[in-house]
Amino acid sequence: MSFKDHFSKQAADYAKFRPRYPQKLFEYLGSIAPNRGLAWDCGTGNGQAAVGLATVFDHVIATDASEKQIANARSHERVEYRVTRAEKSDLESASIDLIMVAQALHWFDLDRFYAEARRALKPDGVFAASAYNLLHVEPAIDEVINRYYYEVVGPFWPPERVLIEKFEELPLPFSEIQAPSFEMIAQWNPEHLLGYLRSWSATQRFIAANRRDPLEEIADDLRVAWGNPQQVRSVIWPLTLRVRIKAISDSLAT
């Protein structure tokens, strides 16, 4: 079965312009994992979460179905990258201490992936999934970004995107525990922000359909709202983290 590839074309921009996860996120995940031997970063993209996990886990297997994403991934001595689908990882059964899915769960065949997660995860292993939606800078800038998201490229979002907007309602396997709140913070100028918007799948789908850059519709307004083009501002993404633990009964049912 082929996968829906919305990022290979802009893999280099994706690696350059995506925000970084906070180190405290990975320290928290390491603190609740039964062991820190082996983590699986599924749907790794350019490896941001994988490299973060490698700071607290002995070894990280990072998988993605996109060869170009893996080719642009950040290298780390404790990260092993593999090109493979989430639903068929070929990982050893009951071998993984923690499964991390960062901003990727909405692209998977959930029933098949959850079955694979049940198979690969150890008893008492941790299943963690995170997502982030719209960023915040300040009201005038946020208004331009929201207009771009909903009105300019809104019709070009893949249908799976709605799962990000309703991430807290998404059914997950295993028993859920309450996770702390995290946020991602970047220090950007307006051109870096425009680069991030260009990496959106909806932006690329708009370009493919219309043969023009949709950012032209908001770039001037964004720069006016930003002010001094040399000014660096804090760009904040609230991060939704959902954590579940595989109980012994889940292992018996696998």
Side-chain angles (χ1 to χ4, degrees), residues 164-183:
I164 290 291
E165 298 172 355
K166 301 180 178 180
F167 194 72
E168 293 180 345
E169 304 171 17
L170 196 64
L172 298 178
F174 315 128
S175 301
E176 190 151 17
I177 65 172
Q178 188 66 38
S181 298
F182 297 95
E183 60 184 17

Side-chain angles (χ1 to χ4, degrees), residues 52-237:
L53 289 170
T55 65
V56 293
F57 284 85
D58 295 336
H59 189 70
V60 178
I61 296 175
T63 65
D64 201 283
S66 168
E67 292 185 13
K68 289 187 177 180
Q69 286 278 44
I70 293 294
N72 283 277
R74 299 170 61 193
S75 61
H76 192 285
E77 61 184 1
R78 290 198 292 274
V79 178
E80 175 188 349
Y81 290 104
R82 300 179 183 178
V83 178
T84 187
R85 289 180 57 86
E87 301 84 357
K88 186 173 174 56
S89 68
D90 294 325
L91 295 170
E92 183 179 344
S93 296
S95 64
I96 305 297
D97 295 303
L98 176 135
I99 296 174
M100 179 69 181
V101 185
Q103 196 72 359
L105 190 61
H106 52 298
W107 301 123
F108 300 165
D109 180 325
L110 293 182
D111 289 340
R112 294 179 62 215
F113 171 63
Y114 291 161
E116 183 70 347
R118 289 187 181 94
R119 185 192 66 78
L121 197 61
K122 290 179 179 179
D124 295 329
V126 175
F127 180 95
S130 66
Y132 57 89
N133 194 16
L134 286 172
L135 57 88
H136 302 293
V137 184
E138 60 178 41
I141 297 170
D142 295 352
E143 186 280 327
V144 177
I145 300 301
N146 291 348
R147 173 157 49 89
Y148 183 74
Y149 180 92
Y150 290 106
E151 299 178 16
V152 179
V153 299
F156 294 90
W157 284 111
E160 293 87 351
R161 177 71 189 189
V162 71
L163 298 181
I164 290 291
E165 298 172 355
K166 301 180 178 180
F167 194 72
E168 293 180 345
E169 304 171 17
L170 196 64
L172 298 178
F174 315 128
S175 301
E176 190 151 17
I177 65 172
Q178 188 66 38
S181 298
F182 297 95
E183 60 184 17
M184 300 184 296
I185 303 176
Q187 302 298 322
W188 281 355
N189 62 32
E191 298 311 311
H192 205 130
L193 179 53
L194 286 167
Y196 167 70
L197 299 179
R198 185 166 285 107
S199 76
W200 282 3
S201 58
T203 300
Q204 296 302 313
R205 285 160 61 94
F206 183 107
I207 293 172
N210 296 287
R211 304 302 179 191
R212 61 183 178 88
D213 187 352
L215 286 168
E216 294 175 355
E217 299 188 26
I218 59 99
D220 289 344
D221 290 342
L222 179 64
R223 293 187 179 105
V224 169
W226 194 280
N228 181 353
Q230 303 304 318
Q231 183 174 358
V232 173
R233 298 181 183 273
S234 294
V235 183
I236 301 171
W237 295 259

